[in-house]
Amino acid sequence: MRKKKLFLRKICVLVLILSTALLSACSDDSSDGAEKYVVLIGEDSEIIEKLSDIDLLVIDAEYFSKNDIARLRENGIREIYSYINIGSIESFRSYDTDFEKYTLGAYENWPEEKWIDVSAPEWQACTASRVDALVQKGVDGFFVDNTDVYYNYPQESIYDGILTILDYMDHTGRKIMINGGDCFVKKYLTTEKSVLIDGVNQENVFTAYDFSKDIYTKNDQSTREYYTEYLDLAMSHGCTAYTLEYAMDPTIRRQAAAYAGKHGYICYISDNIGLCLGR
């Protein structure tokens, strides 16, 4: 779930007149009594007044001010995590152009993005600076994306680079949720003595998105079982398991929510891969 600001402006129409009822319709597919978990990293601060009564909200806080974060809390948002990309550079972010020389290769399906060498001290310093800025804005945690760089480039230097970045995040006292990154996370949970991460989020456990056809569908059973085993492993190591599903069909949405509830996962179901409030 790499949310590109320029890309999003093309695929998402920000509907400012949407009521909070629409947001509830997107998230209430989860099981009764479950934590209300919402991921809207395709949005910016214009959406603040449309949000209320959420247990955990994930945004891209680079596009929110400290005052914006405070306003979200006033609206009943109990925890706020910020998206942060540590494993790739994105062409729409101003600072990323300084790190082109550290790129490792193209990122499939996301042409404005490239994998980056997370072992480079310069990139680690840049990431630490971004972490500090987000802490100053008052976020409660980090939604860490693209540790999948270790899957694509399975080198010890890459693994250790991710650990260095996570260690810096941990010392801020904020919570850490890893999005995807199953290859890295499985090694991390089974080899490290102390676990710094609080949760894992996995996209498309029950559902699937076909980039070539731009359609939402259901995952095959083997893929579903693989991710279920992964999330269960994370839970066995004390991590909270979250799932992020993409579906427009009401039946598939209900099935995805039921699947998450059955396995003890906290689920958010979006009707668009841009993770906007409305498509």
Side-chain angles (χ1 to χ4, degrees):
M1 170 220 16
R2 283 62 54 181
K3 301 310 154 230
K4 314 301 175 261
K5 221 59 180 180
L6 295 182
F7 179 67
L8 293 175
R9 290 305 180 232
K10 296 178 181 179
I11 69 170
C12 293
V13 178
L14 180 58
V15 185
L16 295 176
I17 61 172
L18 286 172
S19 67
T20 54
L22 177 57
L23 179 59
S24 297
C26 291
S27 57
D28 284 352
D29 291 311
S30 57
S31 57
D32 292 342
E35 177 178 341
K36 192 169 183 180
Y37 171 54
V38 177
V39 183
L40 292 175
I41 59 180
E43 296 287 2
D44 57 27
S45 60
E46 293 178 337
I47 206 67
I48 289 175
E49 299 310 319
K50 304 298 178 182
L51 305 178
S52 63
D53 189 29
I54 297 171
D55 293 305
L56 175 56
L57 172 68
V58 180
I59 56 174
D60 189 340
E62 179 178 340
Y63 300 98
F64 291 73
S65 68
K66 183 176 182 178
N67 183 59
D68 292 332
I69 301 297
R71 287 167 58 201
L72 284 169
R73 295 194 190 285
E74 292 171 0
N75 290 352
I77 313 301
R78 285 169 278 284
E79 280 195 295
I80 301 169
Y81 283 23
S82 178
Y83 174 88
I84 184 167
N85 183 355
I86 70 168
S88 69
I89 62 171
E90 302 158 306
S91 60
F92 60 84
R93 304 207 191 248
S94 59
Y95 50 80
D96 280 3
T97 57
D98 298 331
F99 298 95
E100 184 70 26
K101 63 183 178 180
Y102 299 113
T103 57
L104 300 173
Y107 200 131
E108 185 179 7
N109 295 319
W110 299 97
E112 68 279 39
E113 191 163 359
K114 295 179 181 179
W115 296 108
I116 194 165
D117 182 358
V118 293
S119 70
E122 293 82 357
W123 178 248
Q124 293 176 3
C126 174
T127 304
S129 178
R130 288 186 288 144
V131 166
D132 291 343
L134 293 170
V135 168
Q136 289 299 313
K137 290 183 179 183
V139 301
D140 301 293
F142 302 102
F143 185 90
V144 182
D145 202 16
N146 287 327
T147 60
D148 302 279
V149 66
Y150 178 66
Y151 169 79
N152 289 278
Y153 303 92
Q155 304 159 13
E156 283 303 307
S157 61
I158 297 297
Y159 178 81
D160 291 340
I162 296 172
L163 288 184
T164 297
I165 293 171
L166 293 181
D167 184 67
Y168 188 87
M169 289 182 181
D170 181 64
H171 280 85
T172 68
R174 269 54 178 184
K175 295 180 180 179
I176 300 172
M177 183 195 305
I178 303 293
N179 178 51
D182 53 291
C183 182
F184 165 78
V185 173
K186 287 192 292 185
K187 177 176 179 177
Y188 172 75
L189 292 177
T190 55
T191 60
E192 301 301 324
K193 292 182 179 180
S194 60
V195 176
L196 303 181
I197 63 177
D198 300 277
V200 295
N201 180 82
Q202 182 58 53
E203 296 176 88
N204 291 322
V205 175
F206 189 89
T207 63
Y209 175 74
D210 188 329
F211 278 88
S212 64
K213 298 179 180 178
D214 188 25
I215 59 173
Y216 301 85
T217 183
K218 292 196 292 187
N219 246 333
D220 60 84
Q221 185 174 346
S222 62
T223 301
R224 193 182 308 164
E225 290 176 349
Y226 170 81
Y227 284 131
T228 299
E229 291 176 2
Y230 163 59
L231 291 173
D232 289 349
L233 171 68
M235 292 175 69
S236 73
H237 285 268
C239 297
T240 302
Y242 299 84
T243 58
L244 177 53
E245 305 284 6
Y246 302 94
M248 301 181 72
D249 181 271
T251 299
I252 296 177
R253 292 170 69 89
R254 288 192 296 270
Q255 291 173 341
Y259 189 85
K262 175 183 176 181
H263 291 277
Y265 311 148
I266 299 171
C267 179
Y268 178 66
I269 304 173
S270 177
D271 64 1
N272 63 91
I273 62 166
L275 290 170
C276 299
L277 183 57
R279 188 170 185 176

